[in-house]
């Protein structure tokens, strides 16, 4: 499992800032039609949740891809911090409390992976889904609020897996 660095968290926050800035319809439009504009956040939030789940200690190909993406994000962020603003790189950003996924929770993440692949290929929100997943995997193991959101996500997926597979 990769540990997120300050550079990796910075990449995740840059992605989040980019998305929120491009999504923001303006105060007038948001107050005029809040439901429609809030619904535009759903693909990003779904993908963000998926990204968090993939980096929470899942093994196999999905875990390896998530760890690799996190390693690349750490590297990109660290390079940007060193060469962009002249700070130190490679510092650990602190770790969130990890809640391991159960066997059935891992099965739910596998199902979500199939859904994400189909959505990225078929949906008009493909770019948003990719950004959301990337943001989620960089912020899912951070020590901040985003990292602590991973615990209820893991609990929810473990519960859902237990409920679905327990009923079989």
């Amino acid at each position: 499992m990769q540990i997120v660095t300050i550079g990796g968290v910075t990449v995740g926050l840059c992605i989040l800032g980019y998305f929120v800035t491009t999504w923001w319809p303006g105060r007038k439009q948001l107050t005029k039609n809040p439901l429609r504009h809030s619904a535009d956040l759903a693909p990003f939030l779904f993908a963000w949740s998926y990204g968090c789940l993939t980096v929470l200690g899942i093994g196999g190909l999905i875990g390896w891809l998530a760890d690799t993406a996190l390693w690349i994000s750490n590297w990109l962020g660290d390079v940007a911090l060193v060469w962009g603003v002249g700070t130190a790189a490679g510092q650990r950003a602190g770790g969130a409390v990890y809640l391991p996924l159960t066997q059935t929770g891992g099965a739910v993440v596998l199902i979500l992976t199939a859904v994400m692949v189909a959505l990225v290929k078929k949906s008009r929100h493909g770019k948003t889904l990719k950004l959301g997943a990337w943001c989620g995997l960089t912020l899912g193991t951070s020590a901040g609020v985003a990292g602590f959101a991973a615990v209820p996500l893991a609990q929810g997926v473990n519960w859902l897996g237990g409920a679905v597979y327990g009923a079989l």
Side-chain angles (χ1 to χ4, degrees):
M1 170 185 278
Q2 285 286 330
I3 302 299
V4 70
T5 65
I6 292 173
V9 171
T10 303
V11 168
L13 291 173
C14 286
I15 294 168
L16 182 62
Y18 171 82
F19 176 76
V20 170
T21 302
T22 57
W23 163 81
W24 182 251
R27 187 184 59 81
K28 186 176 181 180
Q29 288 294 324
L30 191 58
T31 56
K32 186 190 266 185
N33 195 352
L35 189 59
R36 183 179 75 79
H37 293 297
S38 297
D40 289 341
L41 291 173
F44 184 84
L45 292 175
F46 172 74
W48 185 88
S49 301
Y50 171 76
C52 282
L53 289 169
T54 60
V55 81
L56 288 178
I58 293 179
L61 182 61
I62 295 169
W64 179 81
L65 288 172
D67 282 349
T68 302
L70 182 57
W71 176 81
I72 291 169
S73 299
N74 286 338
W75 184 83
L76 287 172
D78 290 343
V79 166
L81 287 173
V82 169
W83 291 97
V85 294
T87 64
Q91 300 167 354
R92 191 172 163 189
V97 178
Y98 289 106
L99 180 68
L101 293 175
T102 62
Q103 183 180 19
T104 56
V108 171
V109 172
L110 181 61
I111 294 166
L112 288 174
T113 300
V115 170
M116 278 293 291
V117 168
L119 285 173
V120 166
K121 286 187 173 201
K122 295 290 186 178
S123 173
R124 65 181 173 93
H125 301 288
K127 180 181 176 183
T128 300
L129 292 166
K130 290 175 191 175
L131 285 175
W134 189 11
C135 183
L137 72 89
T138 58
L139 296 179
T141 57
S142 67
V145 174
F148 286 115
V151 173
L153 280 172
Q155 288 175 336
V157 167
N158 287 341
W159 172 85
L160 180 63
V164 168
Y165 289 99
L168 295 179

Short mmCIF file of all heavy atoms in Angstrom, two decimals, residues 13-36:
data_model
loop_
_atom_site.label_atom_id
_atom_site.label_comp_id
_atom_site.label_asym_id
_atom_site.label_seq_id
_atom_site.Cartn_x
_atom_site.Cartn_y
_atom_site.Cartn_z
N LEU A 13 -6.00 17.95 -4.17
CA LEU A 13 -6.66 19.23 -3.91
C LEU A 13 -6.70 20.10 -5.17
O LEU A 13 -7.67 20.84 -5.38
CB LEU A 13 -5.99 19.96 -2.75
CG LEU A 13 -6.17 19.31 -1.39
CD1 LEU A 13 -5.33 20.02 -0.33
CD2 LEU A 13 -7.63 19.28 -0.98
N CYS A 14 -5.67 20.00 -6.00
CA CYS A 14 -5.70 20.72 -7.29
C CYS A 14 -6.82 20.19 -8.18
O CYS A 14 -7.53 20.97 -8.82
CB CYS A 14 -4.35 20.58 -8.00
SG CYS A 14 -3.03 21.56 -7.29
N ILE A 15 -6.97 18.89 -8.23
CA ILE A 15 -8.06 18.29 -9.02
C ILE A 15 -9.40 18.74 -8.48
O ILE A 15 -10.30 19.13 -9.24
CB ILE A 15 -7.95 16.75 -9.02
CG1 ILE A 15 -6.70 16.30 -9.75
CG2 ILE A 15 -9.19 16.12 -9.66
CD1 ILE A 15 -6.37 14.83 -9.55
N LEU A 16 -9.55 18.70 -7.15
CA LEU A 16 -10.81 19.14 -6.53
C LEU A 16 -11.07 20.61 -6.84
O LEU A 16 -12.20 20.98 -7.21
CB LEU A 16 -10.76 18.90 -5.03
CG LEU A 16 -12.00 19.26 -4.24
CD1 LEU A 16 -13.19 18.42 -4.68
CD2 LEU A 16 -11.74 19.06 -2.75
N GLY A 17 -10.06 21.45 -6.71
CA GLY A 17 -10.22 22.87 -7.01
C GLY A 17 -10.58 23.11 -8.47
O GLY A 17 -11.44 23.94 -8.78
N TYR A 18 -9.94 22.38 -9.37
CA TYR A 18 -10.24 22.51 -10.80
C TYR A 18 -11.70 22.13 -11.07
O TYR A 18 -12.42 22.85 -11.76
CB TYR A 18 -9.30 21.61 -11.61
CG TYR A 18 -9.68 21.51 -13.07
CD1 TYR A 18 -9.30 22.50 -13.97
CD2 TYR A 18 -10.43 20.44 -13.54
CE1 TYR A 18 -9.65 22.42 -15.30
CE2 TYR A 18 -10.78 20.35 -14.87
CZ TYR A 18 -10.40 21.34 -15.75
OH TYR A 18 -10.76 21.25 -17.07
N PHE A 19 -12.13 20.99 -10.50
CA PHE A 19 -13.49 20.55 -10.77
C PHE A 19 -14.52 21.53 -10.21
O PHE A 19 -15.48 21.88 -10.89
CB PHE A 19 -13.75 19.14 -10.21
CG PHE A 19 -15.17 18.72 -10.41
CD1 PHE A 19 -15.60 18.32 -11.66
CD2 PHE A 19 -16.08 18.78 -9.38
CE1 PHE A 19 -16.93 17.97 -11.87
CE2 PHE A 19 -17.40 18.43 -9.58
CZ PHE A 19 -17.83 18.02 -10.83
N VAL A 20 -14.34 21.95 -8.97
CA VAL A 20 -15.31 22.86 -8.35
C VAL A 20 -15.35 24.18 -9.11
O VAL A 20 -16.43 24.75 -9.32
CB VAL A 20 -14.99 23.07 -6.86
CG1 VAL A 20 -15.81 24.19 -6.26
CG2 VAL A 20 -15.23 21.78 -6.08
N THR A 21 -14.21 24.65 -9.57
CA THR A 21 -14.17 25.90 -10.32
C THR A 21 -14.89 25.77 -11.66
O THR A 21 -15.65 26.68 -12.06
CB THR A 21 -12.71 26.35 -10.56
OG1 THR A 21 -12.07 26.48 -9.29
CG2 THR A 21 -12.64 27.66 -11.30
N THR A 22 -14.69 24.67 -12.36
CA THR A 22 -15.36 24.49 -13.65
C THR A 22 -16.84 24.15 -13.48
O THR A 22 -17.65 24.45 -14.36
CB THR A 22 -14.68 23.40 -14.49
OG1 THR A 22 -14.65 22.18 -13.76
CG2 THR A 22 -13.28 23.83 -14.87
N TRP A 23 -17.20 23.54 -12.36
CA TRP A 23 -18.60 23.20 -12.10
C TRP A 23 -19.41 24.42 -11.66
O TRP A 23 -20.57 24.55 -12.01
CB TRP A 23 -18.70 22.13 -11.02
CG TRP A 23 -20.07 22.02 -10.43
CD1 TRP A 23 -21.14 21.35 -10.96
CD2 TRP A 23 -20.54 22.62 -9.21
NE1 TRP A 23 -22.24 21.50 -10.14
CE2 TRP A 23 -21.89 22.28 -9.07
CE3 TRP A 23 -19.95 23.42 -8.24
CZ2 TRP A 23 -22.65 22.71 -7.99
CZ3 TRP A 23 -20.70 23.84 -7.17
CH2 TRP A 23 -22.04 23.48 -7.06
N TRP A 24 -18.83 25.31 -10.90
CA TRP A 24 -19.55 26.40 -10.23
C TRP A 24 -20.35 27.22 -11.24
O TRP A 24 -19.81 27.88 -12.11
CB TRP A 24 -18.57 27.31 -9.49
CG TRP A 24 -19.24 28.41 -8.75
CD1 TRP A 24 -19.21 29.73 -9.08
CD2 TRP A 24 -20.03 28.31 -7.58
NE1 TRP A 24 -19.94 30.46 -8.18
CE2 TRP A 24 -20.46 29.61 -7.24
CE3 TRP A 24 -20.44 27.25 -6.77
CZ2 TRP A 24 -21.27 29.88 -6.14
CZ3 TRP A 24 -21.23 27.51 -5.68
CH2 TRP A 24 -21.64 28.81 -5.37
N PRO A 25 -21.71 27.17 -11.11
CA PRO A 25 -22.56 27.88 -12.07
C PRO A 25 -22.74 29.37 -11.72
O PRO A 25 -23.29 30.12 -12.52
CB PRO A 25 -23.89 27.14 -11.96
CG PRO A 25 -23.91 26.64 -10.56
CD PRO A 25 -22.48 26.35 -10.20
N GLY A 26 -22.34 29.77 -10.56
CA GLY A 26 -22.58 31.14 -10.09
C GLY A 26 -23.70 31.14 -9.06
O GLY A 26 -24.57 30.26 -9.06
N ARG A 27 -23.66 32.11 -8.17
CA ARG A 27 -24.64 32.14 -7.08
C ARG A 27 -26.06 32.28 -7.60
O ARG A 27 -26.97 31.60 -7.14
CB ARG A 27 -24.32 33.30 -6.13
CG ARG A 27 -25.18 33.29 -4.89
CD ARG A 27 -24.95 34.49 -4.00
NE ARG A 27 -25.19 35.76 -4.65
CZ ARG A 27 -26.40 36.30 -4.81
NH1 ARG A 27 -27.47 35.67 -4.37
NH2 ARG A 27 -26.54 37.46 -5.40
N LYS A 28 -26.25 33.13 -8.60
CA LYS A 28 -27.60 33.37 -9.13
C LYS A 28 -28.18 32.10 -9.76
O LYS A 28 -29.32 31.73 -9.49
CB LYS A 28 -27.56 34.51 -10.14
CG LYS A 28 -28.91 34.91 -10.64
CD LYS A 28 -28.81 36.11 -11.57
CE LYS A 28 -30.19 36.51 -12.04
NZ LYS A 28 -30.12 37.66 -12.95
N GLN A 29 -27.38 31.44 -10.59
CA GLN A 29 -27.84 30.20 -11.22
C GLN A 29 -28.07 29.09 -10.20
O GLN A 29 -29.01 28.32 -10.32
CB GLN A 29 -26.83 29.74 -12.27
CG GLN A 29 -26.82 30.58 -13.51
CD GLN A 29 -28.13 30.47 -14.28
OE1 GLN A 29 -28.75 29.41 -14.34
NE2 GLN A 29 -28.55 31.58 -14.86
N LEU A 30 -27.20 29.03 -9.20
CA LEU A 30 -27.33 27.99 -8.19
C LEU A 30 -28.59 28.17 -7.35
O LEU A 30 -29.27 27.20 -7.01
CB LEU A 30 -26.09 27.97 -7.29
CG LEU A 30 -25.94 26.78 -6.35
CD1 LEU A 30 -25.94 25.47 -7.13
CD2 LEU A 30 -24.68 26.91 -5.54
N THR A 31 -28.92 29.41 -7.02
CA THR A 31 -30.15 29.65 -6.25
C THR A 31 -31.39 29.50 -7.12
O THR A 31 -32.46 29.18 -6.60
CB THR A 31 -30.13 31.05 -5.61
OG1 THR A 31 -29.94 32.04 -6.62
CG2 THR A 31 -29.05 31.15 -4.56
N LYS A 32 -31.26 29.72 -8.42
CA LYS A 32 -32.41 29.60 -9.33
C LYS A 32 -32.80 28.13 -9.54
O LYS A 32 -33.96 27.78 -9.56
CB LYS A 32 -32.07 30.25 -10.66
CG LYS A 32 -33.25 30.29 -11.63
CD LYS A 32 -32.79 30.71 -13.01
CE LYS A 32 -32.94 32.19 -13.20
NZ LYS A 32 -32.60 32.59 -14.59
N ASN A 33 -31.80 27.28 -9.72
CA ASN A 33 -32.06 25.86 -9.99
C ASN A 33 -31.05 24.99 -9.24
O ASN A 33 -30.17 24.38 -9.84
CB ASN A 33 -31.99 25.60 -11.50
CG ASN A 33 -32.60 24.29 -11.89
OD1 ASN A 33 -32.95 23.47 -11.04
ND2 ASN A 33 -32.71 24.06 -13.19
N PRO A 34 -31.19 24.93 -7.91
CA PRO A 34 -30.17 24.21 -7.13
C PRO A 34 -30.15 22.71 -7.37
O PRO A 34 -29.07 22.10 -7.33
CB PRO A 34 -30.54 24.54 -5.68
CG PRO A 34 -31.98 24.88 -5.71
CD PRO A 34 -32.23 25.49 -7.06
N LEU A 35 -31.29 22.10 -7.63
CA LEU A 35 -31.33 20.66 -7.81
C LEU A 35 -30.55 20.22 -9.05
O LEU A 35 -29.76 19.28 -9.00
CB LEU A 35 -32.77 20.17 -7.88
CG LEU A 35 -32.97 18.67 -7.85
CD1 LEU A 35 -32.39 18.09 -6.56
CD2 LEU A 35 -34.44 18.33 -7.95
N ARG A 36 -30.74 20.91 -10.16
CA ARG A 36 -30.05 20.55 -11.40
C ARG A 36 -28.54 20.73 -11.24
O ARG A 36 -27.75 19.86 -11.62
CB ARG A 36 -30.54 21.37 -12.58
CG ARG A 36 -29.88 20.95 -13.90
CD ARG A 36 -30.38 21.75 -15.09
NE ARG A 36 -29.84 23.09 -15.14
CZ ARG A 36 -28.61 23.40 -15.58
NH1 ARG A 36 -27.79 22.44 -15.94
NH2 ARG A 36 -28.21 24.64 -15.64
#
